[in-house]
Amino acid sequence: MADLWAVLDSHLADAAVLRQALHRQPDLSGDESLTRDLVLQALPGTSTPVKVAETGAVLRIGGPGPCVGVRGEMDALPVTEATGVPWSSQNPGVMHACGHDVHLAALVAVARTIHDAGVPVPLLVVLQPREETYPSGAKDIAEHGVLDAEECVVMIGAHIQPALPAGVVACVPGGVNASSDEFEIVVRGESGHAAYPHLADDPLLALAETVVALQSVVSRSVDPMRSAVVGVSSFQAGQAANVVPDFARATGTIRALSSETRALLHERIVSVSENIARAHDCEAEVRITHGEPVLENDPRLVEVVATQLNAQGMPVSTDLRSLGADDFSFFSERMPATMMFVGSETDASLHTATFLPSDADLRAVARALLAGYLGGAALVTEGLVT
């Protein structure tokens, strides 16, 4: 496959130009039509793209039969850019601060490589909207039926990650990103004059005790060998200094690296909230909004992809897991999938105004995606996925 890697390198200059064009004109979640069309214009092949998830699309490179999907996210973030490069965002207050421009350009380079080489296992380019917001673009695509119609049996993704050294690729089996759910707790009591607290049922006090108690849910309910987070991020109650309010509200996030832990946390949050409220003669209503499931990397796929990376001299890390979330997990719960994390030369953090991966980072992401495609194609050829 040495020639395939050389073909990829031959497409990187054009990929860098495309990356700058995408970076210059970023689109927010749900408004990615221009980004989609720009990428489709750069893709090779004669097949007709299938529009999906409102502003997304899929495009097959190659003939019929089972194929390997490679995901590229299209949306940018509501961030005002401060990189100072000539190709900075021309859309005020919007910036590709998460590397999606790099992922898309790398995916185009891989697609051109597969097209030029005429390899036997087709590639399905998946242009996904709304990775950064709800409702999830990946969920919409996964539930649409287009992946089944295209016989997509493997899904590959890669994300730039400045927490890793440049050129290093984390390719880890099992859960690598957490499930992500949100909760809202509303405690209702009996309002009254603050000078006569005995005549009121104070929901603020009940909810304050609930917030404190929730800090022990992970440490006292979850196996210490499993990772999880229950975090309260907002609290609202009352308007006047001398009035006991009639309700109090808090919201927060729930993260877990296993479906079992996820279910346990949901149960404990409801139980703790309701029982503390009851102890204060109040009532608690808990609403849990389900977000992304756990992102599980398929162990077989990880093994063959890591072999491809090692063969190209790319250092592979096997210990990066995060309680961050990515809706790529809606693909991984339906088919063998692998999400890789690719180190970056930039010192800036993701989602910041100065985040700017280099052309070398673009090459590293493209090589990771090609390794992922080749690993998936190997499983298809060997009949290990159907």
Side-chain angles (χ1 to χ4, degrees), residues 135-178:
S136 159
K139 184 175 187 290
D140 286 352
I141 292 174
E143 294 178 349
H144 178 274
V146 66
L147 299 180
D148 291 335
E150 294 288 349
E151 296 184 79
C152 182
V153 293
V154 176
M155 189 68 72
I156 300 298
H159 201 298
I160 200 81
Q161 176 50 266
L164 289 169
V168 173
V169 180
C171 190
V172 184
V176 294
N177 270 163

Side-chain angles (χ1 to χ4, degrees), residues 68-72 154-158 301 305 328 331 335-340 368-376:
V68 176
V70 179
R71 189 278 294 261
V154 176
M155 189 68 72
I156 300 298
L301 187 55
V305 171
F328 185 84
F331 301 128
M335 67 184 73
T338 288
M339 167 63 77
M340 294 166 282
L369 290 177
L370 181 56
Y373 162 80
L374 292 173

Side-chain angles (χ1 to χ4, degrees), residues 69-83:
V70 179
R71 189 278 294 261
E73 323 95 295
M74 297 189 295
D75 49 343
L77 288 160
V79 173
T80 299
E81 183 163 356
T83 65

Side-chain angles (χ1 to χ4, degrees), residues 163-307:
L164 289 169
V168 173
V169 180
C171 190
V172 184
V176 294
N177 270 163
S179 59
S180 177
D181 305 313
E182 295 180 357
F183 65 86
E184 177 190 47
I185 305 168
V186 177
V187 177
R188 301 188 185 280
E190 185 77 25
S191 65
H193 197 299
Y196 311 107
H198 59 294
L199 300 179
D201 296 324
D202 191 347
L204 191 157
L205 176 60
L207 185 55
E209 289 190 11
T210 300
V211 170
V212 173
L214 289 178
Q215 308 311 306
S216 65
V217 165
V218 171
S219 65
R220 290 299 178 267
S221 299
V222 176
D223 183 336
M225 300 305 293
R226 295 179 178 268
S227 297
V229 165
V230 173
V232 179
S233 303
S234 74
F235 192 115
Q236 299 94 33
Q239 294 179 319
N242 61 348
V243 177
V244 175
D246 58 359
F247 80 94
R249 174 180 177 272
T251 63
T253 188
I254 310 165
R255 306 295 175 104
L257 276 177
S258 76
S259 56
E260 295 80 10
T261 302
R262 183 188 194 187
L264 172 65
L265 293 176
H266 290 189
E267 177 186 334
R268 292 295 295 140
I269 289 170
V270 172
S271 176
V272 167
S273 301
E274 290 181 345
N275 283 303
I276 291 178
R278 191 174 299 117
H280 288 272
D281 292 325
C282 296
E283 292 184 355
E285 180 182 1
V286 181
R287 302 184 187 93
I288 295 178
T289 302
H290 287 66
E292 296 90 342
V294 179
L295 199 169
E296 295 271 357
N297 278 351
D298 182 81
R300 297 173 304 171
L301 187 55
V302 164
E303 183 178 358
V304 292
V305 171
T307 298

